[in-house]
Amino acid sequence: DAAAQLMAYLPLLVAAAFASTPCARTLYGRIRSPWLKTMLECAGVAAVMLLATAALVYNSYNPFLYFRF
């Protein structure tokens, strides 16, 4: 079902479209505080990692998640 797939990936498509424009770079460039820039970068990396893990767990059974190292 194409409509369901579109709705499932719509937030990702919107975020990717925004990040690919000069607007994202301009907004990031306006931040003057190096501390705030560092915190935003760390929060962004943590959010991407959390979303990637959630997508991996949600999509299907993945034996990698249950492998004992």
Side-chain angles (χ1 to χ4, degrees):
D1 187 35
Q5 289 292 325
L6 180 64
M7 293 308 293
Y9 290 108
L10 189 62
L12 179 63
L13 289 172
V14 170
F18 176 73
S20 66
T21 64
C23 297
R25 182 182 226 178
T26 303
L27 286 175
Y28 184 75
R30 288 186 180 180
I31 299 172
R32 299 283 182 215
S33 171
W35 179 83
L36 183 57
K37 280 186 178 185
T38 302
M39 288 298 120
L40 286 174
E41 289 170 2
C42 289
V45 169
V48 168
M49 192 163 121
L50 180 69
L51 289 173
T53 303
L56 184 67
V57 170
Y58 175 73
N59 283 338
S60 66
Y61 170 77
N62 189 341
F64 179 74
L65 295 174
Y66 307 106
F67 184 72
R68 290 188 176 185
F69 292 99

